[in-house]
């Protein structure tokens, strides 16, 4: 994660290993706006279309960077993994987080997804069906 440098991806600043407590701490960007999931829970009408469009463009930019530049597939994009700034203007940011299930596709020109990884409600239908499939890197 430290090698991911993009405006719309949460930056990992430091990893602190505490062997005495058997814990690892990750020091990352702080976005006080919470997650998209939390924002959706607070409103009965959902998010404003303008905000959704703005955040979607930012999210697509982050995913494109992961796929095209870093050759990573996130595999768990969901509202809980999209963090928001508190800014209420055109500068408002969303940042993709939790790349713990990211799959490195640099090894070969094609990659295989075997089994399930991620959150069931946000998985692709073919993954839920238990199908193994190949996706060519040039399809991204």
């Amino acid at each position: 994660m430290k090698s991911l440098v993009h405006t719309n991806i949460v930056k990992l600043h430091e990893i602190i290993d505490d062997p005495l407590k058997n814990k690892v701490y990750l020091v990352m960007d702080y976005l006080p706006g919470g997650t998209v999931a939390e924002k959706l829970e607070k409103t009965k009408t959902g998010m404003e279309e303008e905000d959704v469009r703005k955040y979607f463009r930012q999210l697509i930019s982050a995913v494109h960077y992961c796929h095209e530049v870093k050759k990573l597939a996130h595999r768990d994009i969901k509202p809980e993994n999209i963090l928001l700034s508190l800014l209420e203007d055109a500068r408002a940011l969303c940042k993709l987080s939790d790349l713990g299930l990211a799959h490195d596709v640099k090894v070969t020109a094609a990659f295989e997804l075997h089994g399930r990884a991620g959150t069931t409600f946000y998985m692709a239908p073919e993954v839920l069906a238990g199908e193994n499939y190949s996706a060519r890197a040039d399809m991204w």
Side-chain angles (χ1 to χ4, degrees), residues 41-91:
E41 285 178 16
K42 291 179 185 175
T43 178
K44 296 188 188 295
T45 59
M47 294 173 66
E48 295 291 326
E49 184 176 342
E50 182 179 328
D51 290 338
V52 172
R53 288 178 186 271
K54 177 176 39 184
Y55 293 141
F56 186 74
R57 281 191 296 273
Q58 294 175 26
L59 182 61
I60 291 302
S61 178
V63 170
H64 180 267
Y65 171 80
C66 287
H67 290 183
E68 296 297 325
V69 177
K70 294 298 185 176
K71 304 299 185 204
L72 291 173
H74 186 286
R75 299 180 75 183
D76 198 23
I77 297 174
K78 59 185 178 181
E80 291 84 354
N81 289 340
I82 303 169
L83 303 178
L84 302 172
S85 68
L86 282 178
L87 302 173
E88 297 294 334
D89 60 19
R91 297 174 296 135

Side-chain angles (χ1 to χ4, degrees), residues 92-110:
L93 287 175
C94 77
K95 292 193 178 208
L96 186 57
S97 68
D98 195 6
L99 282 96
L101 293 175
H103 180 72
D104 186 350
V105 294
K106 288 188 266 192
V107 178
T108 62

Side-chain angles (χ1 to χ4, degrees), residues 126-140:
E126 59 271 19
V127 174
L128 285 172
E131 298 172 20
N132 291 331
Y133 67 96
S134 292
R136 293 188 326 269
D138 63 352
M139 292 175 63
W140 303 42

Side-chain angles (χ1 to χ4, degrees), residues 4-65:
L4 298 175
V5 180
H6 188 278
T7 303
N8 302 111
I9 297 176
V10 174
K11 177 73 178 149
L12 174 62
H13 297 283
E14 191 67 45
I15 300 170
I16 302 168
D17 186 6
D18 186 349
L20 296 176
K21 293 184 180 178
N22 199 27
K23 292 187 178 185
V24 174
Y25 300 93
L26 304 177
V27 180
M28 304 170 82
D29 288 342
Y30 173 66
L31 278 87
T35 68
V36 167
E38 293 167 344
K39 187 167 185 163
L40 290 172
E41 285 178 16
K42 291 179 185 175
T43 178
K44 296 188 188 295
T45 59
M47 294 173 66
E48 295 291 326
E49 184 176 342
E50 182 179 328
D51 290 338
V52 172
R53 288 178 186 271
K54 177 176 39 184
Y55 293 141
F56 186 74
R57 281 191 296 273
Q58 294 175 26
L59 182 61
I60 291 302
S61 178
V63 170
H64 180 267
Y65 171 80

Side-chain angles (χ1 to χ4, degrees), residues 111-127:
F111 71 97
E112 302 274 334
L113 294 180
H114 299 283
R116 295 183 183 185
T119 305
T120 303
F121 291 123
Y122 300 99
M123 286 182 184
E126 59 271 19
V127 174

